Amino acid sequence: LHYPLRRQRQMCIRDRFWNEYFATRVNEVKCRRLKSEPQLFLHEPSGGLLAVHADDLIMTAPDDVLESLWKELEQRFRIKRTGCIREGQWQKYLGREWTRLPSGFAVRATPAYYDLICAGVGLQQGKAVGTPFPSGTDTADAQPLSAEEVPRFRAAVGRLLWLVPCRPDLAYIVKEVARATSKPTQADMRIIKRIVRYLRGTSELALTLQRSREAIPHQVQGVADASWGTLPLAPGAQRDRRSTTGVSVWLEGWLLTHFSRTQQSVVQSTCEAELVGLSAAAVEAKFAKSVLDELNYANVTVHLATDSSSVIDLLFKRGFGRLRHLEVRQLWLQDEIRELSLIHISEPTRLRRIS
């Protein structure tokens, strides 16, 4: 055990030195590393952006600056260019494919990745279905998987989790089935196969990223919802009564991030579950605001959306009200509202327009 831990520590130190070395060299070409997001660099003369993931780079800048910036970087590093993201063709970056649209971008998983998922569970020729959610008969068998099937199940879950960022429609169902990785059952495997059959009919879908014409300039929007005391999909799963949080964060109609998560504690009411979900959305939205502030965006505002009127009433008050079992840290949004840095809405039409 000592050798792997020592090796892991050496790799962490090596990666840390590489990151600092890279930041120092790109600073020579006037690319400043952001404090809020160390993987993002701002080319201050032109406003161009350089994103770094390990040793993979992607850069955007005005056409008259982009080529010269690449040449300056090539003088300092050995760089292999793989191409530009253009309209009408798919360009691979970090395992996903990207293409340019007239008003934005589209991203998708590669067809080969979908084939890998199908082959992993033996459904190369499976029949497609219209939804990823199982029926009652799909979750009726609580028998544990055999020792040979467990690695296949866990591999399928890992591949689906990697797929979720560009497939928001899978966020909840994959989150739920991933909770069974410690002791998967036959019902859990049936849910996996149901998801894979759904992917067979939707593998051509791509996530579109573009600005909305109705969006308010320089406004970050966080949309949150919660399901109180979510029941597990499979009968053999632990019924811990923990709620589910769903969050999406947008910038002028452009999706920045989304997730579906199981809340860490058991809450006692729908209001409390919605409050936890809205707090998660506020955290992600404020992080996006911090990045935009460092990118010299002017007058960035944060707008939070929830359909829970009880949460809105609670946040515009002082103290716990009737929810006396809450912790003080859960009321930080009350202070944010008094500082007028966050605005909350509950109109359903507005929620539909944002999402």
Side-chain angles (χ1 to χ4, degrees), residues 136-269:
T137 57
D138 291 334
T139 61
D141 192 350
Q143 294 295 323
L145 292 179
S146 64
E148 294 78 13
E149 293 176 309
V150 170
R152 293 174 55 197
F153 175 85
R154 292 173 177 170
V157 169
R159 290 164 183 157
L160 290 173
L161 287 171
W162 186 89
L163 190 62
V164 165
C166 61
R167 291 295 299 266
D169 54 330
L170 299 177
Y172 172 73
I173 187 67
V174 173
K175 183 269 296 185
E176 284 296 306
V177 77
R179 300 177 64 186
T181 51
S182 60
K183 296 180 180 179
T185 64
Q186 296 292 338
D188 296 318
M189 180 59 82
R190 288 199 179 99
I191 296 174
I192 287 287
K193 292 183 177 180
R194 173 80 184 196
I195 299 173
V196 172
R197 291 170 61 195
Y198 170 72
L199 292 178
R200 288 195 57 82
T202 59
S203 59
E204 75 284 354
L205 295 182
L207 177 61
T208 300
L209 305 172
Q210 58 187 4
R211 184 181 181 276
S212 172
R213 296 180 180 178
E214 301 178 359
I216 300 176
H218 295 186
Q219 185 180 85
V220 178
Q221 299 148 336
V223 182
D225 198 6
S227 176
W228 180 37
T230 308
L231 292 176
L233 296 175
Q238 182 180 2
R239 295 175 178 264
D240 52 15
R241 296 291 180 177
R242 290 193 292 170
S243 304
T244 293
T245 293
V247 169
S248 61
V249 180
W250 310 75
L251 173 63
E252 301 178 4
W254 187 297
L255 180 63
L256 298 179
T257 186
H258 71 89
F259 58 81
S260 177
R261 295 175 183 168
T262 301
Q263 296 182 2
Q264 296 182 356
S265 59
V266 179
V267 298
Q268 299 185 20
S269 66

Side-chain angles (χ1 to χ4, degrees), residues 13 19 26 49 55 75 117 169-170 184 235 250 259 284 292 309:
I13 295 175
N19 291 333
V26 298
L49 293 175
D55 57 353
Q75 294 175 1
I117 295 176
D169 54 330
L170 299 177
W250 310 75
F259 58 81
E284 296 295 330
L292 293 172
S309 58

